[in-house]
Amino acid sequence: MSKICANVRRAAALGIALTALAGFAAPAAADIVFAADMTGGNIGAGWSKHQTSIAPLGEEFLGEFGNERVTFTLQEAVEAPMLEVSFDLYIIRSWDGNVSFPGQDIFRFGVVGGPTLLDTTFANQRPGWERPQAYPNARGEGDNPMNSGADAVNTLGYEFYNGPLDAVYHMTYLIEPTNGGLELFFEAQGLQQLSDESWGVDNVQIRTVPAPGALALLGMGSVLVLRRRKTA
């Protein structure tokens, strides 16, 4: 097939897709049903743990946590086929990633009583001490350079052995609520003491996702979807 014919066919296919999308009613605006930037202790209702910390450079967040589970329960019922959940995950100090000694440093996120959406490892180390991490792959499915996929590195002001050591990952998921409700878990495993390895959560937002027909047209439907938004 010539390149011209191929381009024509692609243009026609795009036109069909756009026509199909145009057949749907204009989507309603998304509603924010929960938002908390943790500033001034503003964590919102629904958390199983309430401690906040202020990073050395001034950012306030929910944490620091170690080998523990933190849950969040949405306090109001929602009438939406899909919710978009986003948050910043803080990986603080010397996480060891995939190494067998002193052991993998694991982070997990998901729906209580439902699917685990993230089960991976992270690595933060000083230059010359690089260790692989699984993220952005699942645990056991990759050896990636430390800080792979991070939106910011060494911006919170934490130090370990006299060197900066922290990373921020912005996570976004599409999740189907259960009977209008949502209960999430965040947890870490394999960490050493808080002064060595810890984590936190910041800038949590949950909003409705309108126009489920458009999602279905795009092949998403009610499937749980993970995507990441890189900052500029």
Side-chain angles (χ1 to χ4, degrees), residues 89 91 95-97 105 107 120-124 133 135 169 171:
L89 172 63
I91 301 296
W95 284 51
D96 295 302
D105 289 337
F107 186 82
T120 193
T121 66
F122 292 99
N124 274 347
Q133 66 179 40
Y135 191 82
Y169 296 81
M171 307 290 188

Side-chain angles (χ1 to χ4, degrees), residues 63-173:
E64 300 174 40
F65 301 117
N67 295 315
E68 52 196 304
R69 171 176 280 210
V70 179
T71 61
F72 170 81
T73 303
L74 192 62
Q75 298 297 290
E76 61 179 280
V78 293
E79 295 183 4
M82 208 59 91
L83 295 174
E84 181 186 84
V85 178
S86 63
F87 60 93
D88 289 335
L89 172 63
Y90 291 173
I91 301 296
I92 301 171
R93 303 187 187 92
S94 65
W95 284 51
D96 295 302
N98 287 343
V99 300
S100 57
F101 180 83
Q104 292 189 345
D105 289 337
I106 301 165
F107 186 82
R108 303 173 73 244
F109 166 77
V111 179
V112 174
T116 296
L117 305 176
L118 178 66
D119 183 351
T120 193
T121 66
F122 292 99
N124 274 347
Q125 293 294 325
R126 295 173 295 163
W129 288 58
E130 287 84 357
R131 294 175 177 176
Q133 66 179 40
Y135 191 82
N137 299 103
R139 180 160 53 106
E141 294 183 2
D143 283 324
N144 297 305
M146 67 180 189
N147 304 137
S148 291
D151 290 86
V153 177
N154 298 334
T155 59
L156 300 176
Y158 286 97
E159 292 191 354
F160 191 75
Y161 281 109
N162 300 317
L165 219 57
D166 55 64
V168 179
Y169 296 81
H170 183 80
M171 307 290 188
T172 305
Y173 298 84

Side-chain angles (χ1 to χ4, degrees), residues 19-44:
T19 300
L21 281 171
F24 287 87
D31 292 325
I32 296 176
V33 296
F34 178 86
D37 63 6
M38 314 303 174
T39 302
N42 173 31
I43 69 171

